[in-house]
């Protein structure tokens, strides 16, 4: 590679004051050594995105920026969620960076995997997925629900990279392509594989969170999974149609059966079967309505095309 490439490590942060010091120190060491070895250009940065934190996260980022030009970042006007924060970071960084690596603030992603990612980039890959090679650091519950989620989305036609979260390298042109995907309901893991270009994976082992608590409690995890599935696929609605066809066919048989019973004079039997079908069909209808509502809600949000994030402050523009 001719000229040294500029790398921005983009890190969304939501209430991460407990871990920020550790993370910034670790990344400072890494980037400094990469710069010294001429693997990346001197203008490379650790680029924080403060996602409307309520603690001192932004103050700490500003302090880091004052003390060293290696650190910079932006601050969103309010909490917009991990995916939007990451997008804000990538789209802002791409004006200056040739290469962007996104990672979490809690050091769960292996900083040393950056070397392997850069190797892959140098052999011509535009997107390099960080894929964890074990889930030992996860709880039993998280491990299994995550497994279920991947299976389900792939079954429904999403193209997720197995065991890949949002630790990935993207070239500038890949991020520019990502910008063309204008959806408000953003699920980056599902969209990035749609971009194309030459891609590869780099394995790493995921550590436990370095400090602080997970910002993804069960409720957020469930809504994240729902978001993922309904953003990527309309199969659930198609399944619903088939379910409707099946239930209707069944009811035709029931009709014949009931008529036969009527003719043979057994009219007032079967309270239980009636009660059961009322519940079953009522349940199915509610499920169906809910699911359709889910998609209509999405259409509503997409049609409005509200901004996905707003930047309040950019440390690189002062
Ligand atoms: N995050 C964010 N906005 C949010 C929630 C989380 O920017 O509303 C960031 C968080 O600071 C972290 C990353 O997203 O850098 C992943 O969150 P976390 O580590 O809490 O998730 P987990 O690893 O437990 O799934
Ligand atoms: Mg984490």
């Amino acid at each position: 590679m001719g000229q040294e490439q500029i790398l921005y490590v983009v890190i969304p942060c939501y209430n991460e004051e407990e871990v920020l010091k550790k993370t910034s120190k670790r990344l400072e060491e890494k980037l400094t050594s990469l710069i010294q070895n001429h693997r990346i250009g001197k203008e490379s940065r650790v680029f924080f995105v403060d996602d409307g934190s309520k603690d001192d996260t932004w103050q700490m980022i500003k302090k880091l920026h004052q003390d060293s030009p290696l650190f910079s970042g932006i601050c969103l006007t309010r909490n917009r969620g991990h995916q939007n924060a990451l997008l804000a970071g990538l789209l802002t960084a791409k004006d200056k960076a040739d290469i962007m690596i996104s990672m979490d603030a809690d050091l769960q992603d292996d900083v040393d995997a950056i070397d392997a990612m850069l190797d892959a980039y140098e052999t011509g890959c535009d997107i390099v997925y960080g894929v964890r090679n074990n889930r030992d650091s996860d709880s039993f519950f998280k491990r299994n629900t995550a497994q279920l989620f991947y299976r389900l989305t792939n079954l429904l036609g999403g193209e997720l990279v197995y065991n890949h979260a949002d630790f990935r390298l993207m070239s500038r042109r890949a991020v520019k392509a990502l910008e063309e995907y204008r959806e408000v309901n953003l699920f980056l893991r599902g969209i990035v594989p749609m971009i194309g270009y030459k891609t590869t994976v780099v394995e790493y082992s995921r550590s436990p969170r370095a400090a602080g608590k997970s910002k993804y409690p069960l409720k957020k995890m469930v809504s994240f999974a729902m978001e993922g599935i309904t953003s990527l696929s309309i199969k659930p609605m198609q399944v619903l149609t088939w379910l409707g066809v099946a239930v209707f066919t069944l009811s035709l048989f029931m009709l014949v059966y009931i008529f036969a019973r009527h003719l043979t004079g057994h009219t007032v039997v079967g309270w239980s079967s009636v009660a059961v079908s009322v519940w079953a069909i009522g349940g199915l209808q509610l499920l169906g309505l809910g699911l359709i509502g889910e998609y209509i809600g999405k259409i509503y949000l997409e049609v409005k095309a509200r901004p996905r994030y707003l930047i309040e402050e950019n440390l690189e523009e002062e």
Side-chain angles (χ1 to χ4, degrees):
M1 195 132 305
Q3 220 193 341
E4 281 166 15
Q5 302 281 296
I6 297 175
L7 167 71
Y8 269 46
V9 180
V10 178
I11 306 184
C13 305
Y14 179 56
N15 295 344
E16 297 286 9
E17 61 179 13
E18 278 166 272
V19 78
L20 213 57
K21 235 197 175 89
K22 236 181 180 163
T23 308
S24 53
K25 195 154 173 282
R26 185 85 182 73
L27 281 165
E28 183 171 26
E29 286 163 13
K30 187 81 215 172
L31 259 64
T32 312
S33 98
L34 286 170
I35 291 171
Q36 272 165 6
N37 295 327
H38 301 284
R39 295 276 328 254
I40 55 174
K42 283 195 290 293
E43 292 82 25
S44 296
R45 299 274 178 271
V46 179
F47 197 71
F48 294 105
V49 182
D50 175 39
D51 185 18
S53 298
K54 292 176 181 65
D55 63 3
D56 276 338
T57 301
W58 183 237
Q59 272 63 42
M60 287 174 76
I61 294 170
K62 281 208 282 205
K63 178 85 179 34
L64 284 166
H65 175 69
Q66 276 163 16
D67 295 347
S68 158
L70 193 67
F71 297 105
S72 74
I74 52 173
C75 162
L76 303 189
T77 52
R78 54 162 299 179
N79 182 245
R80 294 293 292 127
H82 178 210
Q83 300 286 295
N84 286 310
L86 186 51
L87 184 77
L90 290 173
L91 296 187
T92 313
K94 73 160 191 330
D95 297 333
K96 305 231 171 97
D98 301 300
I99 318 167
M100 281 145 271
I101 293 181
S102 51
M103 61 187 284
D104 288 353
D106 55 8
L107 290 177
Q108 285 196 279
D109 303 325
D110 181 12
V111 174
D112 289 320
I114 291 179
D115 298 81
M117 287 181 161
L118 289 173
D119 289 342
Y121 173 77
E122 280 159 20
T123 63
C125 288
D126 279 87
I127 302 173
V128 186
Y129 299 101
V131 169
R132 55 200 290 190
N133 52 20
N134 71 70
R135 282 192 167 259
D136 297 344
S137 66
D138 274 0
S139 70
F140 176 80
F141 179 74
K142 186 144 189 172
R143 197 157 54 224
N144 284 287
T145 44
Q147 202 83 266
L148 184 75
F149 171 65
Y150 285 110
R151 292 247 166 82
L152 201 64
T153 9
N154 283 323
L155 200 73
L156 293 173
E159 274 179 67
L160 293 190
V161 177
Y162 191 64
N163 268 347
H164 160 68
D166 280 301
F167 183 30
R168 80 175 83 76
L169 175 148
M170 293 178 82
S171 67
R172 176 188 284 148
R173 68 174 181 177
V175 173
K176 281 199 166 145
L178 177 66
E179 195 177 17
E180 299 297 319
Y181 289 75
R182 303 200 180 274
E183 46 221 274
V184 176
N185 297 287
L186 194 64
F187 188 66
L188 289 173
R189 257 175 254 184
I191 295 174
V192 174
M194 292 181 191
I195 294 175
Y197 289 129
K198 192 173 163 201
T199 67
T200 188
V201 298
V202 162
E203 285 199 7
Y204 72 102
S205 84
R206 195 163 167 92
S207 341
R209 195 171 234 286
K213 277 208 277 295
S214 171
K215 273 73 194 171
Y216 268 102
L218 181 64
K219 198 172 145 223
K220 266 199 190 173
M221 254 168 69
V222 171
S223 71
F224 186 65
M226 266 308 265
E227 182 76 32
I229 291 171
T230 53
S231 299
L232 286 177
S233 155
I234 57 165
K235 276 224 177 102
M237 289 214 293
Q238 291 163 345
V239 169
L240 211 69
T241 315
W242 286 111
L243 211 65
V245 170
V247 171
F248 180 68
T249 318
L250 200 73
S251 73
L252 287 181
F253 285 110
M254 284 300 281
L255 201 77
V256 174
Y257 168 74
I258 290 164
F259 199 59
R261 295 289 281 193
H262 178 76
L263 288 183
T264 51
H266 295 90
T267 341
V268 199
V269 283
W271 172 84
S272 29
S273 61
V274 170
V276 167
S277 9
V278 166
W279 282 100
I281 293 186
L284 272 180
Q285 281 176 336
L286 276 183
L287 180 87
L289 277 178
L291 205 63
I292 291 167
E294 223 22 74
Y295 283 96
I296 292 183
K298 286 234 147 117
I299 296 170
Y300 177 61
L301 291 174
E302 297 294 347
V303 165
K304 275 196 301 214
R306 286 180 178 159
R308 296 178 283 190
Y309 57 82
L310 296 167
I311 297 172
E312 181 170 340
E313 223 178 317
N314 184 344
L315 295 178
E316 299 203 334
E317 281 172 1
E318 279 172 358

